[in-house]
Amino acid sequence: MAQKLTLISHKLCPYVQRAVIALNEKGVPFERVDIDLANKPDWFLKLSPLGKVPVLVVTGDDGNEVALFESNVICEYIEETQSGAKLHPLDALQRAQHRAWMEFGSTILGELWGLETTGDPAVFESKRQAVAAKFARVEEALGRGPFFAGERFSLVDAVFAPIFRYFDVFDQLIDLSIFADTPKVRAWREELAKRPSVRTAVGPDYPQLLHAFLVRHNAHMLKLAA
Ligand SMILES: N[C@@H](CCC(=O)N[C@@H](CS)C(=O)NCC(=O)O)C(=O)O
């Protein structure tokens, strides 16, 4: 029996999407199991120490199952074990830089969640500016494109693509003006949106589901924008 990969997921989770994009880029078959995070099943809580998705369950030739958590660790495991396109630079120093930017992507996501749940206009504006400032640093790090490291798609692209996709829906609700002064980030975002591995990482119902989720959880934020 060949090794089997099962990705425990949630339909809207951008951390899940980076792992899906890495698997898609490599052309690796995997099973995706979406769960309800509002009502986490016991079997999931046994696998995920923090109760978070994604979890990658690796079933070995002998039937033994190992559950990996943390999306960046999952991406690294996929890169190390699966054939197909290389998603990390060969050079150790460049690879370390890429890993740092992957962590940066996780930090930005953390700040975005904070933005959503802010009810106070002054706090909202300072958080919005903090996210914009983070993307100004990304602008400085970007080269000529089309991808983070130039011609080759990498795990940094896999991390940022879902963040940009999240903004696609966010932008319809409220003008955050995060990318007004970052033309290279805008071009990168447009390039990633066209990538088949990115387009197929979410279901066709993703924009509607995320839109509904944001409206449900951010009534106060929408009032701030009015
Ligand atoms: N650091 C984790 C973050 C994953 C994460 O926050 N996942 C969210 C969904 S997008 C989650 O599972 N939340 C459920 C909870 O915290 O109860 C990773 O990179 O995998």
Side-chain angles (χ1 to χ4, degrees), residues 117-155:
T117 50
T118 304
D120 177 303
V123 177
F124 177 83
E125 179 53 19
S126 85
K127 283 182 184 264
R128 190 197 66 77
Q129 284 181 20
V131 175
K134 290 276 183 326
F135 277 103
R137 300 306 298 266
V138 176
E139 179 81 5
E140 289 166 22
L142 284 172
R144 294 157 62 103
F147 300 115
F148 180 77
E151 293 298 322
R152 288 179 71 146
F153 188 95
S154 74
L155 286 179

Side-chain angles (χ1 to χ4, degrees), residues 18 72-73 76 87-89 91-109 134 137-138 141 148 154-157 159-160 163 188:
R18 60 177 70 161
N72 282 349
V73 174
E76 298 280 354
L87 301 177
H88 256 329
D91 178 75
L93 186 56
Q94 283 177 7
R95 201 160 57 243
Q97 282 182 305
H98 274 225
R99 289 179 173 138
W101 284 106
M102 289 166 72
E103 290 301 322
F104 190 97
S106 296
T107 303
I108 287 187
L109 271 177
K134 290 276 183 326
R137 300 306 298 266
V138 176
F148 180 77
S154 74
L155 286 179
V156 181
D157 299 283
V159 165
F160 276 84
I163 299 173
W188 187 30

Side-chain angles (χ1 to χ4, degrees), residues 144-205:
R144 294 157 62 103
F147 300 115
F148 180 77
E151 293 298 322
R152 288 179 71 146
F153 188 95
S154 74
L155 286 179
V156 181
D157 299 283
V159 165
F160 276 84
I163 299 173
F164 292 136
R165 192 167 218 174
Y166 177 85
F167 274 108
D168 290 344
V169 178
F170 217 119
D171 284 351
Q172 294 166 13
L173 292 171
I174 175 170
D175 178 16
L176 292 172
S177 300
I178 299 282
F179 305 111
D181 301 322
T182 54
K184 284 197 275 186
V185 173
R186 283 206 307 274
W188 187 30
R189 177 183 177 183
E190 282 164 22
E191 194 62 38
L192 291 176
K194 290 187 249 165
R195 188 89 176 164
S197 66
V198 172
R199 295 168 69 91
T200 54
V202 291
D205 54 349

